Amino acid sequence: MQKICSFTTFMRNKNLDNFLMALLYYLSHYLEKNSLEKKPQSYMVGLVEKKEMELVLSKLEAAQKYLAQKYCVLVLGLGMPDKHHMCCGKEKMSDTQKDWKFFESLFTFCAYVAWIVFQRQHLTEIEEEIGRLFRSNMFNIPRRKREDEESGGEKKRMTFVQFRRMMAKRPAIKKAVNMRSPVLSTLLPSLREKAQNIVEKKYHLGGIKLPGRVQKHMQSLDSVPMSVVGILGEPRCLFNPHTLLPLEPKENAKSSKRLPSLVERNNIQIQDALES
C-alpha cells in the first residue's frame, strides 16, 4: 500500500509528464519502424523505401536522446528530493528498496499508459522495448517471459552442455553489473558503445545525406516537436470516456450530432449574456 501511495503522489509531478511524452514520442517511431520492417520486401529495395527507413531511424535516434535527457532528470531526482533514494545527495546512505519499488512501479505504469495511448495494441512490443531501454536485454523480464512461453518449457529439459552453451552467449556477471541501460548509454556511451554506434550509423545511413531539418532535429534535444501521438491530440468525443477505446461508427455519429447542439447552446447563452 505504501508503494502505491508514494507513486500516486509522484504522478502529479511535471517531470513525469515530460518523461511520459518523450517515451510516447519514442514509441510512436519505434512502432513505425516495426511496421516498415514487417512490410513484404522485394528483391530490389527501392531508394524511396531506403530513405523512408533512414528517416524513421533518424527520428528514433533523436527521440531516444530526448528520452534519455528526461530519464536522467528522474534518476537524479531533480526537483523531487522526497522521491529520490538519496534525497538528491542530502543522504549518505541509499534506500535501495525505495529506489527499486519506485522504478518498478514507473516502468509498469509507463507500459500501460503507452498501451492505452496506442489504442490498446502492441502491448508485448511496448513492454519488451521499455524493458530493453531501461533494463538492457540482459535483464529484460518481458522478453524472457515471452521466450519461455515460446520455448514451451524446453529450457527446463536442457542438458548441462546445452545450458553452458546458452550461458556462454551472455556476458559475465561482473560485466553485467557494470553495464548501462541503452537509454543511459545514449548520453553516456562507453568507448565500445561509441565505436559500435559509428559502425551502425554507417550501415544504416549508407552515406546518404539526411535532410537539413532532420539533422537540426537530431542536434537539438529540446526542439523535438510533440505532434499527435496515438490517441493524444484526437477529439475526446471519438473515444469512450471510461476506457478511452475508439467508439463504433454509429456511436461516433451520435456524438458528432451531440457536439454541434452543445456548441449552439453555448453560443445562444453567450449571445443572451451580451444582449443583456
Side-chain angles (χ1 to χ4, degrees):
M1 186 67 185
Q2 189 179 357
K3 171 185 171 181
I4 296 169
C5 291
S6 61
F7 188 75
T8 49
T9 54
F10 173 71
M11 285 167 64
R12 302 182 188 93
N13 194 296
K14 189 180 177 182
N15 290 330
L16 177 63
D17 295 339
N18 295 334
F19 170 75
L20 274 174
M21 276 308 303
L23 178 62
L24 293 172
Y25 183 74
Y26 171 86
L27 288 172
S28 67
H29 292 308
Y30 172 74
L31 294 173
E32 187 182 356
K33 179 183 79 76
N34 283 358
S35 65
L36 286 174
E37 288 174 345
K38 288 174 184 176
K39 278 184 179 179
Q41 297 287 333
S42 59
Y43 289 106
M44 296 292 288
V45 180
L47 188 62
V48 176
E49 287 82 359
K50 278 187 178 180
K51 283 193 173 182
E52 191 179 7
M53 178 59 82
E54 286 161 12
L55 190 62
V56 171
L57 289 173
S58 66
K59 287 180 179 179
L60 192 66
E61 184 182 355
Q64 187 167 330
K65 285 180 181 177
Y66 185 76
L67 174 62
Q69 188 189 46
K70 300 304 175 187
Y71 181 60
C72 283
V73 171
L74 298 185
V75 171
L76 295 172
L78 300 178
M80 42 184 183
D82 56 322
K83 303 294 182 296
H84 194 251
H85 63 109
M86 292 184 71
C87 296
C88 296
K90 291 180 182 178
E91 297 288 336
K92 293 183 179 180
M93 297 291 290
S94 171
D95 190 347
T96 312
Q97 195 74 7
K98 178 181 178 180
D99 193 47
W100 171 71
K101 287 179 179 179
F102 174 80
F103 280 99
E104 283 300 314
S105 301
L106 176 67
F107 297 149
T108 305
F109 176 75
C110 289
Y112 281 100
V113 167
W115 177 57
I116 291 169
V117 167
F118 294 108
Q119 300 187 15
R120 297 176 186 257
Q121 297 175 0
H122 316 292
L123 180 61
T124 304
E125 292 95 325
I126 289 168
E127 284 183 328
E128 287 188 15
E129 184 59 13
I130 288 175
R132 186 194 71 82
L133 278 173
F134 301 109
R135 289 193 177 101
S136 78
N137 281 329
M138 182 71 183
F139 304 102
N140 194 344
I141 299 168
R143 183 182 174 182
R144 283 192 182 184
K145 284 181 180 178
R146 177 180 60 81
E147 288 175 350
D148 287 343
E149 287 173 4
E150 287 177 355
S151 64
E154 285 180 11
K155 287 183 181 179
K156 294 177 182 178
R157 297 191 295 269
M158 276 184 183
T159 62
F160 181 71
V161 176
Q162 289 173 329
F163 180 75
R164 287 291 297 272
R165 283 176 185 170
M166 183 190 75
M167 293 303 292
K169 296 176 184 177
R170 296 180 179 177
I173 298 294
K174 288 182 180 179
K175 188 178 178 182
V177 169
N178 295 318
M179 284 173 67
R180 300 168 190 173
S181 63
V183 71
L184 282 181
S185 62
T186 304
L187 294 182
L188 302 167
S190 63
L191 292 174
R192 177 177 284 186
E193 286 165 343
K194 281 181 181 178
Q196 190 177 351
N197 288 339
I198 292 168
V199 173
E200 285 178 357
K201 279 182 183 178
K202 283 184 179 179
Y203 174 77
H204 285 304
L205 300 179
I208 297 174
K209 194 176 180 181
L210 293 171
R213 58 188 175 84
V214 176
Q215 289 180 349
K216 189 178 179 183
H217 174 75
M218 290 168 67
Q219 288 167 3
S220 178
L221 295 177
D222 288 320
S223 68
V224 177
M226 294 302 177
S227 55
V228 175
V229 177
I231 65 173
L232 298 182
E234 297 289 345
R236 194 172 178 180
C237 61
L238 300 177
F239 301 91
N240 185 305
H242 304 292
T243 63
L244 293 178
L245 283 169
L247 296 173
E248 296 296 324
K250 290 180 182 178
E251 294 180 34
N252 274 339
K254 288 179 184 177
S255 62
S256 61
K257 285 179 183 177
R258 215 178 292 130
L259 193 64
S261 63
L262 288 171
V263 173
E264 287 169 12
R265 199 182 308 158
N266 288 336
N267 288 339
I268 292 167
Q269 288 175 355
I270 293 166
Q271 190 65 31
D272 290 342
L274 290 170
E275 289 175 358
S276 61

